[in-house]
Amino acid sequence: ASSPVPSQVPSDAAVPQPSAAVQIPIDGRPYFGPENASVVMVEFTDYQCPFCRKFYLKAYKKLKKQYVDTGKLRFVLRDLPLGFHQHAKPAAISAHCAGEQDKFWEMHDALFDGGGKLNKDDILGYAKKIGLENVSFKSCLTSGRYNEGIKQDVTDARNASITGTPGFVVGRTTDNFVNGTLISGTRPFSTFKKEIDKLLLQK
């Protein structure tokens, strides 16, 4: 039996959407884990999205411990700041600016650990907490040099029918693209584990 298609996709992807096969470029995007890992997971995130924070708290750390830290998975992050979240894009920019001082993931974690506090003073507080050099960080925040990259992330998400956050693609890489399964919305760790384990068994 076919299920009815909702007339409006939830803007935060609170309701899981059907999985589909997609291709996503990942070249030059922040990642951790081995570059030659056979399985890659891409997340499109919005730092102001409560569902993205739920993923971070409930599944992300388990995935890192069980798959990334053991060399089985590369985790790639792309940005999808939703238009009605005023702090989402500045937060995304702050993570990239932290990346200029090799602290991208430290800022990523601080933004989610902050419990939704994402105004300018909050972000500067996180920067101080993780040890960023303040002058160059503040200069980067207003430079605009990450606007195009974030815009491209948004375009690539739309092309893959990812309309809400978080959105994930789990698959294998070919020439800086991930070919895999689209998983939309917050899911339990077991959902990602099942997909990753299936791919790890494939030769």
Side-chain angles (χ1 to χ4, degrees):
S2 61
S3 57
V5 177
S7 58
Q8 276 192 313
V9 175
S11 54
D12 269 305
V15 179
Q17 300 299 306
S19 298
V22 295
Q23 183 182 68
I24 292 288
I26 57 169
D27 192 28
R29 295 308 189 268
Y31 73 90
F32 61 75
E35 192 170 0
N36 62 349
S38 61
V39 181
V40 178
M41 178 171 171
V42 182
E43 179 191 4
F44 283 86
T45 197
D46 172 318
Y47 291 99
Q48 199 175 342
C49 160
F51 303 106
C52 297
R53 185 166 185 266
K54 185 178 179 183
F55 163 75
Y56 170 79
L57 294 172
K58 301 289 187 182
Y60 168 85
K61 294 178 182 182
K62 286 184 182 178
L63 286 165
K64 186 176 185 301
K65 184 177 181 180
Q66 291 192 29
Y67 292 101
V68 180
D69 293 348
T70 57
K72 298 174 182 176
L73 178 73
R74 174 158 58 132
F75 186 92
V76 180
L77 196 87
R78 301 196 61 179
D79 295 304
L80 184 55
L82 302 176
F84 56 90
H85 283 160
Q86 63 173 340
H87 299 305
K89 186 178 177 184
I93 290 169
S94 77
H96 290 291
C97 289
E100 294 184 0
Q101 299 183 43
D102 297 321
K103 294 282 183 78
F104 178 90
W105 294 103
E106 288 87 341
M107 180 60 88
H108 165 275
D109 292 0
L111 292 166
F112 281 124
D113 284 332
K117 296 180 179 178
L118 296 171
N119 66 33
K120 186 177 179 181
D121 288 341
D122 294 324
I123 286 172
L124 292 175
Y126 303 145
K128 183 178 181 180
K129 184 178 179 182
I130 65 174
L132 295 181
E133 196 285 305
N134 196 42
V135 175
S136 58
F137 177 71
K138 288 173 79 172
S139 173
C140 175
L141 291 178
T142 57
S143 69
R145 59 177 166 265
Y146 291 105
N147 289 340
E148 279 304 311
I150 293 172
K151 185 178 178 182
Q152 186 61 53
D153 282 2
V154 172
T155 298
D156 289 344
R158 297 284 184 263
N159 289 342
S161 299
I162 298 171
T163 56
T165 53
F168 307 92
V169 179
V170 182
R172 293 180 174 273
T173 56
T174 308
D175 297 329
N176 293 313
F177 284 85
V178 173
N179 298 284
T181 300
L182 170 62
I183 301 173
S184 297
T186 298
R187 305 291 185 99
F189 168 74
S190 58
T191 299
F192 302 106
K193 175 178 169 57
K194 181 179 179 182
E195 191 64 32
I196 293 166
D197 287 347
K198 183 176 74 175
L199 289 164
L200 288 171
L201 288 171
Q202 295 174 5
K203 299 296 182 185

